[in-house]
Amino acid sequence: MSPCSLDLLRAGACRALRDDLEEPNPFHAYLSTGTKRTYEEIAAARPLHMLFPLPGMLFQPSSAPLPLPTWFFVLQIFTQALLSPGSHCWPASWVELHVHLDGAIKPETILYYGRLRGISLPADTAEELQDIIGMDKPLSLPEFLAKFNYYMPVIAGCREAIKRIAYEFVEMKAKEGVVYVEVRYSPHLLANSNVKPIPWNQAEGDLTPDEVVALVSQGLQEGERDFGVKVRSILCCMRHEPSWSLDVVELCKKYRQQTVVAIDLAGDETLEGSSLFPGHVEAYQEAVKSGIHRTVHAGEVGSAEVVKEAVDILRTERVGHGYHTVEDEALYKRLLQENMHFEVCPWSSYLTGAWKPGTEHAVIRFKNDKANYSLNTDDPLIFKSSLDTDYQMTKRDMGFTEEEFKRLNINAAKSSFLPEEEKKELVDLLYKAYYGMPPSASAAGQHP
Ligand SMILES: [Zn+2]
């Protein structure tokens, strides 16, 4: 079995099994309700460890004999696992730390809620919608932001849609071979009550940012349970709305037991002096005081100075993107020494113009200097991508090796915002997946 096939199984869902267990005759449920899930979906989504109990279940003396089609079903799952080449390359146990929930929605789901809520969209099929929302070549920041205007009104303010995109997000990541992900979003941008101004030209409703966090957390937790991916969330402040930021840090505190691990600052970092807006500064001070982890979008299109502000004023623990850090040699050396983590999004950096092809990408410098960084998708809906796109891009165009992918993923795990004990479990899991053994005691600190 190739590592990809293994991963295909490992990375997926337990939902099928959970439903199975609720059925008197587990596998028959799928044979009789063929529309519920195709064989391919189940095989692609069912994690390896969930397959092992199957033979035991089949032979349970107390259960009624299983019909012949059931045996075919089980056989089919195993055959699928053995033969499927998988869509991604090694090591296929990824850690992703920088991805936006509202930039990672299935086009089908947008269409569904557009129709359900009577909100018009510029396309009738998922493919057409993907083409309109998605990007193939670099666009300006306003053109990029305009993409959100198409579909955010469809999702924002709708309880069912918000919970569903969170759930489907986990499913999407399971299929990509992700074992741990931190997903971020602005609760205010999905609300239509207790938020000023009300975003996306929505009429005032009764969905508050607080309830948005509750809904997303529920969707993520259900996804965790069903798809076997560990998920945590990060709540975003927006640079142009400093009046929301204190709310955001309070929500981080309130929901810290329900997936929320950190605060972020997103939006247009070229907005003059926005790192110093009192709302943001106070929120980050409160985060430090309350033990809420911190990351900041900085040095993506903004200068190294924005990175410096994020580190020195907002006391960030990770830098979102951070490419322009390398333009200030002293700052870069200092952050290398401090083992600062850079959340790199290669394909995103091409499409947003944060990186100009023909120049050396900062991630090459990070690789050569053995910096602490991760590879991430950022907004896969808009960039028409998956995590595989970013790994293929760095492998094909920048000479990244399997060893470097392992190294950066272990560093990503070590830079995650999980509590120490859970972080150690995650690091152990990666070592076992990559090297077949747990880390030695000497592997503490940054992976060499
Ligand atoms: Zn981002």
Side-chain angles (χ1 to χ4, degrees):
M1 193 181 288
S2 74
C4 291
S5 305
L6 277 170
D7 175 66
L8 200 68
L9 291 172
R10 186 191 298 117
C14 328
R15 181 178 190 185
L17 190 66
R18 195 194 71 219
D19 289 352
D20 289 347
L21 294 172
E22 288 162 5
E23 293 285 342
N25 186 346
F27 306 111
H28 198 250
Y30 290 101
L31 301 169
S32 56
T33 57
T35 52
K36 200 170 176 185
R37 236 170 209 225
T38 64
Y39 292 139
E40 287 74 17
E41 281 173 323
I42 296 170
R46 187 179 291 260
L48 190 61
H49 69 275
M50 297 307 287
L51 283 171
F52 290 133
L54 293 187
M57 290 172 62
L58 294 175
F59 289 109
Q60 269 179 20
S62 59
S63 56
L66 294 167
L68 196 60
T70 303
W71 290 99
F72 280 118
F73 169 76
V74 174
L75 195 65
Q76 190 148 8
I77 287 182
F78 278 102
T79 314
Q80 179 94 25
L82 285 165
L83 299 181
S84 170
S87 60
H88 37 248
C89 58
W90 29 251
S93 287
W94 314 125
V95 171
E96 186 171 17
L97 302 179
H98 189 126
V99 53
H100 296 258
L101 179 63
D102 46 355
I105 306 173
K106 287 162 73 170
E108 292 83 356
T109 304
I110 296 169
L111 278 180
Y112 175 82
Y113 285 104
R115 287 191 190 117
L116 191 76
R117 303 179 71 197
I119 299 172
S120 68
L121 285 163
D124 291 324
T125 68
E127 291 71 30
E128 283 168 13
L129 189 64
Q130 176 83 77
D131 279 342
I132 292 169
I133 295 174
M135 291 168 65
D136 294 304
K137 56 177 179 33
L139 294 177
S140 67
L141 187 68
E143 287 171 314
F144 166 74
L145 293 175
K147 303 282 185 186
F148 290 88
N149 290 324
Y150 284 123
Y151 67 90
M152 283 300 278
V154 170
I155 305 295
C158 176
R159 290 175 171 82
E160 187 190 301
I162 289 168
K163 188 173 165 186
R164 176 160 156 187
I165 61 166
Y167 181 80
E168 289 179 344
F169 169 81
V170 189
E171 182 179 36
M172 191 187 299
K173 289 297 150 186
K175 287 179 176 166
E176 291 176 18
V178 171
V179 291
Y180 175 71
V181 58
E182 288 174 8
V183 60
R184 60 188 73 194
Y185 63 99
S186 158
H188 294 78
L189 289 180
L190 289 167
N192 61 14
S193 171
N194 269 11
V195 51
K196 270 194 200 132
I198 297 175
W200 318 112
N201 289 323
Q202 296 176 93
E204 182 159 10
D206 60 359
L207 182 57
T208 62
D210 189 315
E211 199 187 341
V212 166
V213 180
L215 290 162
V216 171
S217 296
Q218 280 168 27
L220 295 178
Q221 284 174 321
E222 285 175 25
E224 265 194 306
R225 185 190 65 202
D226 291 354
F227 303 112
V229 179
K230 195 176 177 86
V231 186
R232 295 294 178 266
S233 62
I234 297 174
L235 304 185
C236 301
C237 305
M238 300 305 298
R239 284 191 181 265
H240 67 290
E241 295 292 356
S243 65
W244 294 352
S245 294
L246 278 174
D247 261 12
V248 174
V249 73
E250 288 308 316
L251 291 172
C252 289
K253 286 154 70 178
K254 180 171 176 184
Y255 288 96
R256 69 201 310 176
Q257 300 304 326
Q258 288 128 285
T259 80
V260 180
V261 287
I263 192 167
D264 175 39
L265 180 56
D268 182 3
E269 61 169 311
T270 62
L271 189 62
E272 193 67 28
S274 54
S275 307
L276 313 178
F277 289 170
H280 302 323
V281 174
E282 283 166 33
Y284 272 73
Q285 281 170 347
E286 182 57 33
V288 172
K289 215 170 90 190
S290 317
I292 300 293
H293 288 293
R294 301 161 306 281
T295 182
V296 173
H297 280 74
E300 179 185 11
V301 288
S303 66
E305 189 55 32
V306 185
V307 178
K308 205 174 200 170
E309 290 167 352
V311 175
D312 291 336
I313 295 166
L314 301 175
R315 295 184 56 193
T316 196
E317 298 164 271
R318 298 197 314 230
V319 178
H321 304 278
Y323 319 124
H324 292 269
T325 311
V326 299
E327 289 164 11
D328 179 339
E329 200 60 34
L331 176 69
Y332 178 56
K333 287 234 164 72
R334 178 188 144 198
L335 295 188
L336 275 183
Q337 234 161 33
E338 292 174 3
N339 196 30
M340 176 60 74
H341 182 88
F342 297 96
E343 303 160 355
V344 176
C345 310
W347 183 237
S348 156
S349 71
Y350 163 64
L351 286 178
T352 59
W355 164 62
K356 303 270 179 286
T359 64
E360 185 181 75
H361 198 296
V363 77
I364 295 176
R365 183 91 195 269
F366 295 166
K367 168 174 70 82
N368 294 342
D369 294 338
K370 297 211 174 294
N372 177 5
Y373 68 94
S374 50
L375 296 182
N376 308 278
T377 54
D378 208 7
D379 295 289
L381 166 68
I382 294 172
F383 303 137
K384 301 207 279 192
S385 67
S386 71
L387 207 43
D388 194 49
T389 314
D390 293 280
Y391 281 84
Q392 293 293 355
M393 176 182 168
T394 47
K395 181 185 161 198
R396 192 190 54 232
D397 305 336
M398 301 176 184
F400 278 52
T401 62
E402 177 177 358
E403 226 17 76
E404 181 64 8
F405 288 154
K406 292 176 182 174
R407 189 190 78 85
L408 74 89
N409 272 277
I410 288 168
N411 283 332
K414 289 181 176 178
S415 304
S416 72
F417 290 143
L418 285 171
E420 285 309 315
E421 195 50 37
E422 289 177 58
K423 197 186 281 189
K424 188 181 169 307
E425 278 170 23
L426 177 62
V427 171
D428 284 358
L429 186 136
L430 293 188
Y431 268 93
K432 278 183 196 140
Y434 301 160
Y435 305 110
M437 63 176 99
S440 63
S442 61
Q446 208 216 147
H447 191 59

